[in-house]
Amino acid sequence: MLTDRQQEIVDTSLEIISSIGIQGLTIKNLAKRIGISEPAIYRHYENKISILLTILDYFKSSGEQMFRKQIKSEDRPLRRIECIFEGHFDAFERNPSLVSVIFSEEIFRNEPVLQAKIAEIMDRNFNAIKALVVEGQAKGEINPNFDSKYLTIIIIGSLRMMVKRWQMVDKSFNNRDEVKNLFSTIRKLIENNNS
Amino acid sequence: MLTDRQQEIVDTSLEIISSIGIQGLTIKNLAKRIGISEPAIYRHYENKISILLTILDYFKSSGEQMFRKQIKSEDRPLRRIECIFEGHFDAFERNPSLVSVIFSEEIFRNEPVLQAKIAEIMDRNFNAIKALVVEGQAKGEINPNFDSKYLTIIIIGSLRMMVKRWQMVDKSFNNRDEVKNLFSTIRKLIENNNS
DNA sequence: ACAAAGTTAGTTAATATTAACAAACAAACA
DNA sequence: TGTTTGTTTGTTAATATTAACTAACTTTGT
């Protein structure tokens, strides 16, 4: 569990990342924004890496929660994938900084601990979606003539691309509709329509 | 045009980016690798940003070349998209550092000039692919019941995701086959099969 | 002889982190 | 009850390291 200050540090970090990018997340900026001195940060976190690890953990567990909810759900696989789509999207909308975090692998490249965590999160997400695709194919909802691996790459890649575009150009347009449209396109593409 | 030294600086930069990431591209590393002193670098480039701009320009023009080739080509649109897929992939294989560059938007976020260039490149690529999709739909080769914008997001997103996975996990596996399989999946999905 | 390309030896600004100490409060105890 | 002791959370000042970049001088090639 996090203390109030620890939570504040994490929240403020996400704010900073959101507004000026991960590069701007320095202890100095962090301390200034919170209104305490730099060394005070170290009363609550051993070092900067452990702050970042906490952020990634938060990210990981919020994703896990979403997947768990979908596993229990009685919906059909395609609908569950759609929920994950929307769920991720809601998360991004509520907390735009997560977008920066998700695309920050390159920055963590010199920190093995962080890179490992990122790889772990990506891998788990991939497998969760893939499991749903496989299930959808088994139940005849998704076209079984395609390798589930490639369908998963297409699904996740599309979502990421959408988010990236949103971050780079669109900026606060009709994002919810965009996601709906994108997913409905994907759905029609991969659905099993042997009528 | 670039002098020999300038070219060497660019090449070595790409080598460094490739092996230890963009974060590792410092003037010190660059000079050491080339075998000259740090200030000598400044005899050939005004500053670090201009080196990075040159790299992005190289990236941009090599992409442009590829698109130009495809425009002249007599192939059908889907085949041309496939060529672009393979072309990009060849580029990545020949020069893995480009992968790092392409995913480095987050790092350039505090450098408006660089960020603008990245946005420009992404935008042009997007529109080039989209034009091919539209043409494919007009010629009845691609299913016209889908918004070309979303199909383009799916196509580019998949390619990027594939590359990302390649960078993160697969590492020197059967990459050429993977690209072939991925594209053939996409092709089957979006093809117009009203037979 | 002169311009291009290199060197050595610096500068400035940032960075994460540590050392040493202080105020506020709580717990323990006489 | 009042004093001692410890803990938490903060401070200021300093640290080591690294970044990009510069000034002034030397070498090299034509």
Side-chain angles (χ1 to χ4, degrees), chain A residues 20 40 45 47 66 70 85 100-101 107 158 163:
Chain A
I20 54 175
Y45 283 99
N47 51 36
M66 196 188 309
Q70 289 315 314
F85 244 70
S100 300
V101 176
I107 290 173
S158 305
V163 170

Side-chain angles (χ1 to χ4, degrees), chain A:
Chain A
M1 256 293 98
L2 302 183
T3 65
D4 286 359
R5 244 304 121 86
Q6 282 176 324
Q7 189 62 52
E8 190 181 6
I9 289 172
V10 167
D11 290 344
T12 310
S13 295
L14 287 171
E15 263 175 55
I16 291 172
I17 292 171
S18 170
S19 60
I20 54 175
I22 275 224
Q23 301 271 76
L25 180 62
T26 64
I27 301 295
K28 193 175 184 173
N29 280 343
L30 192 47
K32 201 194 302 169
R33 197 111 155 196
I34 293 180
I36 57 180
S37 67
E38 299 172 48
I41 301 289
Y42 292 91
R43 292 286 172 208
H44 306 277
Y45 283 99
E46 202 188 330
N47 51 36
K48 192 181 166 181
I49 290 182
S50 68
I51 298 176
L52 289 166
L53 269 180
T54 307
I55 291 174
L56 289 179
D57 269 329
Y58 161 66
F59 195 53
K60 182 183 165 192
S61 71
S62 84
E64 247 155 22
Q65 208 179 339
M66 196 188 309
F67 287 130
R68 238 194 304 280
K69 208 183 288 174
Q70 289 315 314
I71 284 168
K72 281 183 192 152
S73 146
E74 288 302 313
D75 288 333
R76 329 189 70 189
L78 259 178
R79 169 69 195 142
R80 280 190 270 164
I81 293 175
E82 187 176 12
C83 284
I84 288 171
F85 244 70
E86 286 169 355
H88 264 101
F89 192 75
D90 284 346
F92 290 149
E93 204 169 42
R94 252 183 289 115
N95 205 340
S97 50
L98 292 181
V99 179
S100 300
V101 176
I102 229 193
F103 289 118
S104 58
E105 304 97 353
E106 190 59 35
I107 290 173
F108 294 154
R109 195 152 149 190
N110 44 358
E111 277 309 330
V113 204
L114 298 176
Q115 212 199 338
K117 184 126 249 155
I118 289 255
E120 185 192 323
I121 293 174
M122 286 191 72
D123 203 51
R124 216 183 22 81
N125 287 359
F126 188 88
N127 287 323
I129 298 275
K130 191 171 160 214
L132 285 174
V133 170
V134 168
E135 192 189 331
Q137 289 179 317
K139 293 192 173 163
E141 194 190 13
I142 294 176
N143 191 323
N145 298 322
F146 299 107
D147 188 328
S148 58
K149 177 173 152 191
Y150 299 114
L151 290 185
T152 306
I153 289 176
I154 290 168
I155 291 170
I156 296 181
S158 305
L159 178 57
R160 278 178 72 108
M161 189 65 208
M162 172 106 247
V163 170
K164 176 103 255 168
R165 271 177 64 80
W166 177 39
Q167 185 198 31
M168 294 204 76
V169 281
D170 271 358
K171 293 274 187 209
S172 75
F173 212 72
N174 231 341
N175 296 312
R176 163 142 290 112
D177 283 357
E178 288 268 282
V179 172
K180 264 200 158 0
N181 290 339
L182 174 63
F183 187 79
S184 105
T185 305
I186 292 177
R187 167 192 280 275
K188 282 183 217 147
L189 287 175
I190 70 178
E191 235 169 13
N192 198 4
N193 29 18
N194 44 2
S195 45

Side-chain angles (χ1 to χ4, degrees), chain B residues 5 37 39-40 43-44:
Chain B
R5 239 315 116 82
S37 67
R43 294 282 173 210
H44 306 277

Side-chain angles (χ1 to χ4, degrees), chain B residues 114-176:
Chain B
L114 299 177
Q115 210 198 339
K117 185 126 246 158
I118 288 256
E120 185 192 324
I121 293 175
M122 286 191 69
D123 203 51
R124 218 183 20 83
N125 287 359
F126 188 88
N127 288 323
I129 298 274
K130 191 171 160 215
L132 286 174
V133 170
V134 169
E135 191 188 332
Q137 289 179 317
K139 293 193 172 164
E141 194 189 13
I142 294 176
N143 191 324
N145 299 322
F146 300 107
D147 188 328
S148 58
K149 174 173 156 193
Y150 298 113
L151 290 186
T152 306
I153 290 177
I154 290 167
I155 291 169
I156 296 181
S158 305
L159 178 58
R160 278 178 74 109
M161 188 67 207
M162 173 107 248
V163 170
K164 177 103 255 170
R165 271 177 65 78
W166 176 39
Q167 185 197 33
M168 294 205 76
V169 282
D170 272 357
K171 293 274 186 209
S172 76
F173 212 73
N174 231 342
N175 297 312
R176 165 143 286 111

